[in-house]
Amino acid sequence: MDRDEPLLKVSGVTLQYKTTSHIVTATYRVGFEMLKSDRFVLLGPSGCGKSTLQKAVGGYITPTEGEMRLKGKLITKPGPDRMMVFQEFDQLLPWKTVQQNVAFALEAAKKMPKREAADRAGHYVEMVGLSKFSNSYPHMLSGGMKQRVAIARGMAMEPDILLMDEPFAALDALTRRKMQDELLSLWDKTRFTVMFVTHSIAEAIKIGNRILLLSPHPGRVQAELNSATTPEDVAHLERQIHEMLFSEAAPEAAHA
Amino acid sequence: MRNQLSVVSNSQMTNSFRPEIRNAQSLEEIRVVEKPRSLFDKLYGEDVVRKAFILIALAFVWEAYGRWLNNDLLFPTFGATITAFAKGVANGVLPGRAWGSIRVLLMGYAAGVILAAMLTGLAIASRIGRDFLETMTSMFNPLPAIALLPLALIWFGLGNGSLVFVLVHSVTWAIALNTHAGFLSVSKTLKMVGRNYGLGGPAFIMKILIPAAFPSILTGLKIGWAFAWRTLIAAELVFGVSSGSGGLGWFIFENKNMLDIPNVFAGLLTVILIGLVVENLIFRIIEQRTINRWGVHS
C-alpha cells in the first residue's frame, strides 16, 4: 500500500438510530482519514456520537448516508480486522482464562491452529505484563488487568485497526495514567493503528497523534488537529480545544 | 506549611506544627499473629458437619417417637426403617426398583432437554419462534404434568410411553424458559465481542450464548430434574410401569397394600436419597467446575 494512501477513509457519514418515539441523528456528514500507525483520537463531549461513529467503523451500525472504506474495502459488518476494546469490564469471556481468552479469539476468528494460537497468546499476555495471571479467570483480576487482557486480545489479532472505546474510563485515576503510559509503550513496540474514543482532553492529547474534535447534537467535525508533545504546546493545545468546545457548548446549553 | 518551615523560628513553633513522619514502623515491629481456630469452631464452620448433626438429631427424634408410639403400622421406628432398607438393598429389590425409575426418568429427561434445546434454538433464530416459545411456556408451564397422565394413558397405554410423555412435559418448559431467559440476559458487550470474532449462527450460539447463559441453563436443568423426579414417583403410584418390575413409586404403593409400612418408609427413604445425591453431588460438582470457577452466578 502506498504510504500516503489512507488506511481508513470515512466520507460524509451520517448515522441515525431509532428510539421508541424518535429517529435520532448521532453524527452528520462526518469525514476523516486515518493513516497506518496513526493514534487517531475521537474527542468530544457526551452526545457527540463519537462512540456511535466508532461502532459504525466496527461494523455494528450501517450509515444512512456516506461510506466507510478500510483499505479500499467497504465496511458492512463486524470482523476481526477491526478489533474492539470496550469500556466495560465484562468484555472478557468469563468461562475462559486470561490465556484462553486471547487464544480463543485467534482460533475463532483467524482459524489458527491451537498450538500456534496458544504461542501467540502467551507472547501478547507477556507483553501486557500478565504472564503470572495467564491461568486466572477474569473474575479474579482487577479492572485494570481486565482491560490489559482486552488490549492483549485486540493486539494479538493484529488487526488493521484497534478500536478502543473509552477503555480506561471505568478505571481509577492512578491506574488510568499507568494504562495510558503502557499503551504508548506498546505502540512504540509494534506501531499498531489505533482509533481511540475519549471525552478527556488531556487523555486525547497524551494518547493521540491526531485528534478529531466533534461537536454535539448531532456530531459534526469541528476540527482535526495534530497533537502536541512539548509541555508548552500541550498546554496551548489544551486551552485551544477547551475554548472550541465551550464556545460551542454555551449557546447550545442555553437552548436546552 | 512545609515551605514555611525555614521561615518559622523555633520559638514560634506551637503545637500546630507537626513534624513529618516517614517509615515510622519498621516491618520487624509488626508481628503477624496467627492463632489456630479451636476444633469446635472449625467443625462448626463446615457445612457438612452442621447438616450431618441436624440429620442425626432428626433420626433420634424419629426413633424416640416411634418407640413411644409402638405401632409399626402407623409409624415404624428409625431402626425398623433402616433394617427394611438394608434388607431391600441386600436382596436387590430396592436397587432394581430404583433403577427402573431412573431409567424411565433419564429417557424422559433426555427427550425433554432435546426438545427444549430445539425450542430455544428456534426462539433465538426468529421472532415468530420466540413468540411460539413464550406462548407455549406460559400455557403449559403452570399445568402440572401429572394432570396429563389420564390422557397419556389413553394415548400410549399402560407403560413407559405414558411416563415418558408426562416427564417430557414436566422437564421441557422449565428448561426452555430458563435457557431462553438466560440467552436474553447475555450482556450486549459479550454479544458484540462474539460478532467481532466474526462468529454467527450456530457457532455464535455454541461458543458465546450457551456458555454465557450457563448459570440460567443450569438452574433450568436443576428445576427440570426436580419436577421430573416428583412427577415420576407420583405417576408410578398410579400404576406399575410394567407388570412385576415397577419403579419406586409402585414399590411404595405395593407395600402399603400389604401393610408392610417399614418397607414403605424404606421406599420413601430411597426416593429422598436419590434426590439428595443428584442435587448435592452431581449438580454441585457441575456447579463447582463451571459457574463457581468462572465467578458467574445467576
Side-chain angles (χ1 to χ4, degrees):
Chain A
M1 195 164 52
D2 190 40
R3 214 188 177 301
D4 291 321
E5 183 79 6
L7 180 75
L8 176 77
K9 191 174 162 77
V10 172
S11 36
V13 164
T14 301
L15 296 168
Q16 291 176 330
Y17 59 88
K18 281 181 209 162
T19 67
T20 43
S21 56
H22 293 86
I23 292 180
V24 180
T25 302
T27 67
Y28 183 72
R29 293 191 177 161
V30 171
F32 60 88
E33 288 178 356
M34 269 177 76
L35 304 181
K36 204 166 158 37
S37 295
D38 257 347
R39 286 165 291 140
F40 199 92
V41 176
L42 303 183
L43 173 66
S46 49
C48 73
K50 54 194 187 300
S51 282
T52 316
L53 187 60
Q54 189 174 54
K55 287 203 174 75
V57 175
Y60 296 99
I61 302 166
T62 315
T64 45
E65 195 184 0
E67 58 168 37
M68 292 167 298
R69 286 180 181 277
L70 180 70
K71 286 177 161 174
K73 240 180 70 195
L74 198 66
I75 293 173
T76 52
K77 60 176 204 282
D81 52 350
R82 286 148 286 140
M83 281 300 287
M84 303 270 306
V85 175
F86 298 93
Q87 178 183 343
E88 291 83 9
F89 292 153
D90 68 348
Q91 62 185 303
L92 301 177
L93 310 181
W95 58 92
K96 295 201 178 284
T97 62
V98 166
Q99 159 92 17
Q100 288 166 349
N101 254 291
V102 181
F104 175 69
L106 295 165
E107 289 165 27
K110 297 208 149 186
K111 312 276 174 262
M112 197 181 269
K114 261 197 163 36
R115 176 61 79 58
E116 204 185 330
D119 282 350
R120 202 200 283 194
H123 172 70
Y124 278 95
V125 168
E126 196 192 332
M127 207 155 156
V128 294
L130 287 178
S131 295
K132 263 200 228 157
F133 297 90
S134 60
N135 291 320
S136 304
Y137 285 88
H139 73 102
M140 302 156 148
L141 307 179
S142 68
M145 286 154 87
K146 284 182 198 170
Q147 294 310 80
R148 264 188 224 132
V149 178
I151 292 170
R153 174 174 73 182
M155 287 176 57
M157 299 281 285
E158 290 168 8
D160 293 328
I161 303 184
L162 195 60
L163 303 172
M164 305 181 93
D165 185 5
E166 305 200 36
F168 308 144
L171 299 173
D172 63 274
L174 289 174
T175 314
R176 189 182 315 142
R177 239 186 91 176
K178 207 168 147 230
M179 295 290 293
Q180 290 166 350
D181 293 335
E182 278 178 26
L183 183 70
L184 286 175
S185 81
L186 285 173
W187 182 86
D188 257 343
K189 277 181 209 153
T190 58
R191 303 277 159 147
F192 53 90
T193 316
V194 57
M195 179 193 275
F196 194 100
V197 167
T198 182
H199 58 249
S200 153
I201 299 173
E203 187 171 63
I205 296 174
K206 184 168 179 184
I207 296 287
N209 67 333
R210 186 100 171 146
I211 300 170
L212 189 77
L213 197 61
L214 293 164
S215 61
H217 303 299
R220 285 147 293 159
V221 175
Q222 200 173 5
E224 197 179 322
L225 310 165
N226 283 321
S227 193
T229 43
T230 65
E232 301 89 63
D233 291 348
V234 167
H236 179 69
L237 183 62
E238 197 166 340
R239 219 166 27 246
Q240 233 183 340
I241 294 175
H242 218 270
E243 270 164 28
M244 277 196 243
L245 283 177
F246 288 100
S247 65
E248 173 87 0
E252 290 226 354
H255 287 302
Chain B
M1 182 164 118
R2 270 151 218 152
N3 298 338
Q4 293 167 358
L5 198 60
S6 51
V7 195
V8 179
S9 77
N10 273 340
S11 60
Q12 277 173 321
M13 280 186 196
T14 59
N15 51 9
S16 74
F17 172 78
R18 283 172 290 177
E20 290 184 8
I21 301 166
R22 286 176 198 190
N23 284 340
Q25 270 187 323
S26 72
L27 262 176
E28 287 87 59
E29 281 175 52
I30 307 166
R31 290 222 193 92
V32 181
V33 181
E34 250 184 331
K35 186 179 148 210
R37 290 163 66 185
S38 71
L39 185 66
F40 175 77
D41 196 24
K42 263 196 279 192
L43 285 179
Y44 195 73
E46 290 287 336
D47 255 16
V48 185
V49 176
R50 286 199 311 271
K51 283 182 181 161
F53 175 74
I54 291 174
L55 285 180
I56 291 166
L58 282 176
F60 266 106
V61 173
W62 176 357
E63 181 71 27
Y65 181 71
R67 285 192 183 188
W68 177 76
L69 201 64
N70 197 19
N71 185 344
D72 251 11
L73 275 183
L74 276 185
F75 197 87
T77 60
F78 177 68
T81 305
I82 291 298
T83 314
F85 178 75
K87 215 191 285 170
V89 172
N91 64 21
V93 174
L94 266 179
R97 296 302 178 89
W99 174 240
S101 286
I102 290 173
R103 205 166 42 98
V104 180
L105 183 85
L106 287 180
M107 283 195 288
Y109 195 64
V113 169
I114 292 168
L115 190 64
M118 286 183 342
L119 282 172
T120 35
L122 273 181
I124 299 236
S126 69
R127 187 92 171 253
I128 194 80
R130 194 168 99 190
D131 292 342
F132 177 71
L133 178 67
E134 277 170 4
T135 315
M136 293 296 274
T137 44
S138 54
M139 256 165 56
F140 286 123
N141 201 32
L143 184 68
I146 200 76
L148 287 176
L149 191 59
L151 203 58
L153 288 176
I154 294 175
W155 289 347
F156 302 102
L158 273 173
N160 282 352
S162 296
L163 281 180
V164 170
F165 176 77
V166 288
L167 283 178
V168 166
H169 175 79
S170 72
V171 169
T172 304
W173 309 118
I175 296 180
L177 198 68
N178 277 284
T179 305
H180 185 57
F183 283 171
L184 290 184
S185 66
V186 173
S187 90
K188 219 176 132 190
T189 319
L190 272 187
K191 287 187 199 162
M192 286 175 82
V193 167
R195 292 179 58 205
N196 202 170
Y197 294 170
L199 296 175
F204 183 74
I205 295 178
M206 293 301 294
K207 289 176 174 173
I208 303 288
L209 283 188
I210 288 182
F214 197 72
S216 300
I217 296 175
L218 193 62
T219 307
L221 289 173
K222 275 160 87 173
I223 296 176
W225 160 264
F227 279 7
W229 189 227
R230 278 171 222 188
T231 306
L232 179 69
I233 299 300
E236 280 181 355
L237 283 174
V238 179
F239 69 99
V241 178
S242 45
S243 52
S245 64
L248 275 173
W250 185 241
F251 176 85
I252 293 169
F253 192 70
E254 248 178 1
N255 281 293
K256 179 231 137 194
N257 284 347
M258 296 190 292
L259 290 181
D260 191 348
I261 306 305
N263 257 336
V264 173
F265 272 65
L268 288 173
L269 193 65
T270 314
V271 172
I272 292 174
L273 282 179
I274 292 174
L276 281 179
V277 165
V278 173
E279 281 269 332
N280 290 314
L281 221 67
I282 298 178
F283 280 119
R284 184 67 58 84
I285 288 172
I286 296 176
E287 245 168 41
Q288 275 168 359
R289 298 243 164 121
T290 57
I291 57 182
N292 287 0
R293 187 178 291 177
W294 306 339
V296 290
H297 297 283
S298 59

